[in-house]
Amino acid sequence: MMIDSYRHKGLRKKLVEEVRSKGIQDENVLAAIEAVPRHFFLDSSFVEIAYQDKPFPIGSGQTISQPYTVAFQTELLQAGKGLKVLEVGTGSGYQACILAEMGARVFSIERHHSLFAKTKKLLESMNYKVKLFYGDGYKGLPAFAPFDRILVTAAAPFVPEALTDQLKTGGMLVLPLGAGDTQVMTRLIKQEDGRLEEQKFGYFRFVPLLTNKAP
Ligand code: SAH
């Protein structure tokens, strides 16, 4: 069984202050980071450093995003209570739990079957009511569309049309956009007439969103 000790809680408080000092202001995002035991999402050898503001390997060549990056994307998404949110790239499930902690109804897709299975077990054991799917995030989840918010947590070389199609009017899509080594954090807001307003928020580095057949 996994233990969330006072020491872990103390480390989380420190992490919240670090992320705050780097510019994150949304108190709901900060409260979620304080609430979710990040060390549950890392392999045991990394538990001691789960609360550093760094990304870490989670198996299958993938990484759990740095807490600051999770906070930054979550703040941009403005994902409050009751909103229906689609995440592309479940990975460890940490980001999905941050969104769930904020009261969002979370759907998340992962293309690595081993990661999908491992994370499904973990989130069930933690009692998070996140709906996880094994599949290709480029296609979104048409059966559950439309969504208030869509968050892509891997580098997208272009904006997948299925995702903008599955966005409500007034809805937001946040994704790291770019095919190279770095991506531009981008927010698209769907207008009444279906047009997408584009806003840009600086450079980040993500693992790529993959197109080939899911392993
Ligand atoms: N949000 C995760 C970190 C994501 S890392 C967390 O909180 O831990 C990016 C994830 O996207 C990886 O797990 C990778 O396997 C997944 N991925 C890559 N291409 C994908 C695709 N086309 N559809 C769904 N998931 C994809």
Side-chain angles (χ1 to χ4, degrees):
M1 217 195 85
M2 288 177 293
I3 308 284
D4 189 28
S5 69
Y6 282 109
R7 189 171 149 262
H8 292 124
K9 291 186 174 103
L11 289 170
R12 276 210 295 288
K13 275 202 197 316
K14 273 200 195 152
L15 176 61
V16 165
E17 289 323 310
E18 183 170 354
V19 166
R20 191 197 295 277
S21 76
K22 290 178 178 172
I24 303 301
Q25 295 180 351
D26 187 329
E27 291 301 331
N28 294 322
V29 173
L30 295 166
I33 289 178
E34 188 163 341
V36 178
R38 180 169 163 92
H39 61 287
F40 287 9
F41 300 82
L42 281 80
D43 293 333
S44 55
S45 51
F46 294 113
V47 163
E48 293 306 308
I49 42 178
Y51 294 106
Q52 294 179 8
D53 190 21
K54 288 181 183 160
F56 281 110
I58 53 173
S60 308
Q62 302 304 322
T63 55
I64 180 172
S65 303
Q66 175 179 353
Y68 171 74
T69 304
V70 171
F72 192 89
Q73 286 202 293
T74 309
E75 187 169 69
L76 280 185
L77 199 65
Q78 300 176 7
K81 258 202 165 46
L83 293 184
K84 200 166 140 193
V85 180
L86 172 65
E87 178 195 25
V88 172
T90 312
S92 69
Y94 178 69
Q95 169 75 73
C97 290
I98 292 288
L99 293 166
E101 194 65 46
M102 293 172 70
R105 290 150 57 207
V106 186
F107 298 73
S108 185
I109 317 175
E110 172 58 52
R111 75 180 282 285
H112 266 284
H113 193 270
S114 56
L115 266 178
F116 159 77
K118 184 177 167 192
T119 299
K120 194 167 156 56
K121 239 172 114 180
L122 174 70
L123 299 204
E124 279 167 9
S125 77
M126 293 176 74
N127 267 321
Y128 275 110
K129 304 275 175 281
V130 171
K131 293 186 184 63
L132 299 184
F133 299 82
Y134 166 55
D136 181 5
Y138 274 102
K139 301 193 174 87
L141 274 183
F144 296 89
F147 296 94
D148 297 293
R149 302 285 187 270
I150 301 178
L151 175 61
V152 180
T153 65
F158 56 88
V159 179
E161 206 178 301
L163 299 186
T164 55
D165 284 350
Q166 291 171 31
L167 204 55
K168 285 185 193 172
T169 299
M172 298 179 185
L173 165 62
V174 171
L175 77 174
L177 198 54
D181 274 357
T182 59
Q183 301 82 42
V184 177
M185 192 61 76
T186 305
R187 180 165 67 189
L188 301 172
I189 306 175
K190 200 175 208 173
Q191 312 295 302
E192 292 282 342
D193 60 7
R195 248 181 357 94
L196 295 163
E197 184 194 324
E198 186 183 73
Q199 303 167 328
K200 293 182 180 300
F201 299 91
Y203 289 91
F204 286 81
R205 194 181 290 263
F206 283 79
V207 297
L209 195 61
L210 301 169
T211 41
N212 53 348
K213 203 167 157 281

